[in-house]
Amino acid sequence: MAKTASPATPSTAPRPSRILEGTWIPLVVFAILAVMPAVSVALDDSFLTLFVIRVMIFAIAAVSLDLILGYGALISFGHAAFLGIGAYGIGILSAEGTDEGLIAVPVALVAAGLFALVTGAISLKTRGVYFIMITLAFAQMAYYTTTSLSAYGGDDGLTIWSRTEFLGHAILDDRTTFYYVTFACLLGAYLLCRMIVASRFGRVLTGAKQSEVRLQAVGIDPYGYRLVAYVISAMLCALAGVLLANQTEFVSPAYMGWHRSGDLIVMVVLGGMGTLHGAIIGAAAYLVLEEVLQDFTEHWRLIFGPILVLVVLFGHGGIVRLLSILSGGRNRG
Amino acid sequence: MADPILRLERLSKHFGALRVTNELSLDVERGEVHAIIGPNGAGKTTLISQISGALAPDHGSIVFDGRDVTGLSMAQRARAGLARSFQITTILPNFTVLDNVALAVQARQGHSFRFVRAVNRDRSLTDAAAAHLETVGLLERAGTRAGSLSHGEKRSLELAIALATRPKLLLLDEPMAGTGREETERLVAVLKRLASDYTMILVEHDMDAVFALADRISVLVYGEVIATGAPEAIRENQKVRQAYLGEEA
Ligand SMILES: Nc1ncnc2c1ncn2[C@@H]1O[C@H](COP(=O)(O)OP(=O)(O)OP(=O)(O)O)[C@@H](O)[C@H]1O
Ligand SMILES: [Mg+2]
């Protein structure tokens, strides 16, 4: 799924080095993730595997957000709602005695998809700040709905007594298996989004971001495309929620709090919007920084805030941009 | 004179107290290049916007190719065969020149709910787009980012995008605006060639271009058509000379 330039005319033919330039970062990222369990064994550090699973789960959520944020310029400030719906889907079904993943996972994803379809249909009628506010409002609605679910723990959240099984096999109980299931989900989500943004659908999405009028003038109404992208993004984010519920064996309203939605945006911006692998790197950087700074002070956000401001002001394009500059790639705007 | 491609009937548009289109009726025949001229602020762009669907008229009707399109959106009208170029350049700056045109080809080929195949390897898009770029003389710039084209090149790109929708009627709002002498002559030559295949409404201030291209000319002043006719008739028309051509000098 490498991103290559248009082959139509000689002047557009990319030099081989330019093609590599675009793909080495995701290759390295996934290579590192693939060997992490072995590294963790070598270092005799079991926390590391758990931590990287968490990173990959949030990376899935961040990649899903980048699909609409980076490629569609849709600033969803309520994306954590989909994470929460995915997690609650698993939690509630488990509480009701359904641990079978072939049922629970599709139910959780479809629930998030339907929520996105309804709220997206309304939100996408608005633009800019209004879109931010209305997606936030819908997420807060979901948040307060879960706090009032007294049968499922309400404010206190819900403990999941047994992890999702597949055809009766409790495969997620094994840490390494859980790791590679999460890895496969992340890789799958990444490749799916890569494919989508390179398709006709993706071109409409990225075109609409630049000039809605231009698309209208050639006969394309972007609304339906944005809505479908929103639903796809929500379902991928719900997949992250499914994994998160299984890892923590717990779900709570906090999963869909507005600060969680903000975290996801920060991850995408920090890593580099509109690149997909930037979202993965951003999620990793965010969680590592959080982990490190937390050890210094409980007011870690006070340090984290300024770092973020610096990235936004000076590191336009995020970490990914920085990496390609450092590796001698051309500065492309 | 039966079956015009476009029939405007008593079209009106006000901005506050300002009547920008005033009970305007006009027929555009199939195959003709119909120029619309008039002083600044006469309401030419506003008229084009109403025809293309960017603005809704207060009342009146727009019949395109035998069908009342007054209530249709801009995208629906574009799909019906109405293509517009903008007086203020409207392109996708971060796409390549080729991709700007390929998107229009893609729109023409039907819906874009296609998720699997990579667009840049789709020859049905890139080949057609390249052909349209060749028509307007922009093929060697195919791989350039559209935002970094010169002003004149952007005007040509606008035209290529409009052509890529394979329109039945081209609405060109000052396609030569702001271009140099040489570029204008080149564009006139391009439009001259296209005139045998396309019906056009051409809004233009450059009188040499208008008289070189138009089959008929309508003169718009304060939202009203004060004269319509062959170029020679318009040139001789006393009302027009007073209202418009006289101001030129
Ligand atoms: N959206 C708007 N709101 C209010 N007034 C407008 C609007 N658009 C145009 N006008 C006014 O309507 C009048 C006609 O504008 P229009 O752009 O249609 O003229 P034009 O004939 O295209 O002029 P030009 O030759 O300068 O392009 C002008 O007086 C303009 O200021
Ligand atoms: Mg105008």
Side-chain angles (χ1 to χ4, degrees), chain B residues 10 46 53 58 112 124 131 148 172 174 182 207-208 217 219:
Chain B
R10 308 192 59 187
T46 306
D58 296 337
S112 294
S124 76
S148 48
L172 303 175
E174 302 201 24
E182 218 171 288
M207 283 307 135
D208 294 337
I217 298 175
V219 183

Side-chain angles (χ1 to χ4, degrees), chain A residues 1-9 11-12 195-196 198-204 206-208 210-211 213-221 224-225 228 232 333, chain B residues 74-75 78-79 86 90 92-95 98-99 102-104 106-107 109 111-122 124-125 139-140 142-143 158 161 165:
Chain A
M1 283 296 127
K3 211 167 132 188
T4 54
S6 298
T9 57
S11 62
T12 67
M195 183 182 82
I196 289 173
S199 71
R200 289 187 179 213
F201 179 87
R203 190 162 274 176
V204 169
T206 46
Q210 296 168 60
S211 168
V213 179
R214 178 26 84 199
L215 267 75
Q216 300 269 5
V218 298
I220 299 172
D221 187 349
Y225 297 93
V228 169
I232 293 171
Chain B
M74 173 150 58
R79 291 198 292 273
F86 292 85
T90 307
L92 304 173
N94 294 329
F95 278 10
L98 187 77
D99 290 348
L103 183 65
Q106 172 181 330
Q109 287 183 2
H111 71 79
S112 294
F113 289 102
R114 300 181 191 184
F115 302 89
V116 178
R117 187 152 171 219
V119 257
N120 56 14
R121 273 173 243 149
D122 191 336
S124 76
L125 296 179
L139 187 56
E140 41 326 337
E158 280 257 346
I161 294 171
T165 65

Side-chain angles (χ1 to χ4, degrees), chain A residues 17-87:
Chain A
S17 64
R18 292 294 287 280
I19 296 174
L20 274 177
E21 185 190 310
T23 49
W24 74 266
I25 296 176
L27 279 175
V28 168
V29 166
F30 280 103
I32 291 173
L33 290 175
V35 301
M36 232 33 200
V39 171
S40 138
V41 168
L43 296 175
D44 195 22
D45 183 354
S46 59
F47 172 76
L48 189 59
T49 309
L50 285 178
F51 179 71
V52 180
I53 290 176
R54 188 175 165 76
V55 165
M56 292 194 296
I57 289 172
F58 279 96
I60 294 169
V63 165
S64 79
L65 177 60
D66 194 26
L67 179 67
I68 57 168
L69 177 60
Y71 293 87
L74 302 173
I75 307 174
S76 163
F77 208 149
H79 227 55
F82 307 124
L83 192 78
I85 291 171

Side-chain angles (χ1 to χ4, degrees), chain B residues 44-45 87 173-174:
Chain B
K44 304 182 293 296
T45 296
Q87 180 173 3
D173 194 358
E174 302 201 24

Side-chain angles (χ1 to χ4, degrees), chain B residues 77-100:
Chain B
R77 291 186 208 191
R79 291 198 292 273
L82 261 171
R84 167 188 190 172
S85 79
F86 292 85
Q87 180 173 3
I88 296 163
T89 306
T90 307
I91 55 172
L92 304 173
N94 294 329
F95 278 10
T96 63
V97 169
L98 187 77
D99 290 348
N100 265 272

Side-chain angles (χ1 to χ4, degrees), chain B residues 15 18 20 38-47 87 173-174 205 220:
Chain B
F15 289 123
L18 192 67
V20 188
N40 290 107
K44 304 182 293 296
T45 296
T46 306
L47 180 62
Q87 180 173 3
D173 194 358
E174 302 201 24
H205 279 297
L220 196 65

Side-chain angles (χ1 to χ4, degrees), chain A:
Chain A
M1 283 296 127
K3 211 167 132 188
T4 54
S6 298
T9 57
S11 62
T12 67
R15 283 180 289 121
S17 64
R18 292 294 287 280
I19 296 174
L20 274 177
E21 185 190 310
T23 49
W24 74 266
I25 296 176
L27 279 175
V28 168
V29 166
F30 280 103
I32 291 173
L33 290 175
V35 301
M36 232 33 200
V39 171
S40 138
V41 168
L43 296 175
D44 195 22
D45 183 354
S46 59
F47 172 76
L48 189 59
T49 309
L50 285 178
F51 179 71
V52 180
I53 290 176
R54 188 175 165 76
V55 165
M56 292 194 296
I57 289 172
F58 279 96
I60 294 169
V63 165
S64 79
L65 177 60
D66 194 26
L67 179 67
I68 57 168
L69 177 60
Y71 293 87
L74 302 173
I75 307 174
S76 163
F77 208 149
H79 227 55
F82 307 124
L83 192 78
I85 291 171
Y88 265 93
I90 293 302
I92 290 173
L93 283 175
S94 175
E96 297 298 337
T98 305
D99 294 320
E100 176 50 53
L102 294 184
I103 297 168
V105 176
V107 167
L109 299 199
V110 168
L114 286 176
F115 184 72
L117 186 65
V118 173
T119 60
I122 299 165
S123 311
L124 289 167
K125 296 278 184 199
T126 67
R127 285 281 162 282
V129 176
Y130 299 100
F131 183 79
I132 298 175
M133 297 312 286
I134 198 165
T135 50
L136 173 63
F138 279 126
Q140 288 301 94
M141 268 172 55
Y143 173 87
Y144 286 112
T145 303
T146 56
T147 61
S148 63
L149 287 177
S150 48
Y152 303 108
D155 266 333
D156 300 328
L158 176 65
T159 298
I160 295 170
W161 298 106
S162 92
R163 285 183 175 171
T164 304
E165 300 170 349
F166 290 88
L167 297 173
H169 299 289
I171 58 170
L172 297 182
D173 287 343
D174 177 67
R175 183 176 296 168
T176 308
T177 310
F178 196 149
Y179 185 97
Y180 282 109
V181 167
T182 309
F183 178 82
C185 288
L186 175 59
L187 184 60
Y190 177 76
L191 292 178
L192 180 72
C193 291
R194 262 270 89 82
M195 183 182 82
I196 289 173
V197 300
S199 71
R200 289 187 179 213
F201 179 87
R203 190 162 274 176
V204 169
L205 203 59
T206 46
K209 167 185 160 183
Q210 296 168 60
S211 168
E212 172 134 14
V213 179
R214 178 26 84 199
L215 267 75
Q216 300 269 5
V218 298
I220 299 172
D221 187 349
Y223 177 79
Y225 297 93
R226 287 184 171 136
L227 184 56
V228 169
Y230 194 68
V231 170
I232 293 171
S233 170
M235 292 176 78
L236 283 176
C237 195
L239 179 64
V242 164
L243 293 165
L244 189 62
N246 272 290
Q247 195 198 19
T248 57
E249 299 181 332
F250 179 71
V251 291
S252 88
Y255 284 21
M256 20 182 130
W258 64 268
H259 52 274
R260 190 39 72 68
S261 295
D263 291 346
L264 292 177
I265 294 178
V266 167
M267 289 173 187
V268 173
V269 174
L270 185 64
M273 270 199 293
T275 59
L276 296 175
H277 45 268
I280 302 174
I281 295 170
Y286 183 94
L287 293 172
V288 167
L289 272 175
E290 181 183 70
E291 201 64 38
V292 171
L293 294 177
Q294 248 168 7
D295 285 348
F296 283 113
T297 164
E298 59 179 298
H299 304 298
W300 63 276
R301 278 174 194 274
L302 284 181
I303 305 173
F304 194 56
I307 293 180
L308 203 70
V309 171
L310 287 179
V311 169
V312 171
L313 285 182
F314 299 108
H316 212 63
I319 298 171
V320 163
R321 176 70 172 278
L322 216 64
L323 286 175
S324 52
I325 292 172
L326 290 179
S327 71
R330 280 254 307 280
N331 230 354
R332 279 185 283 173

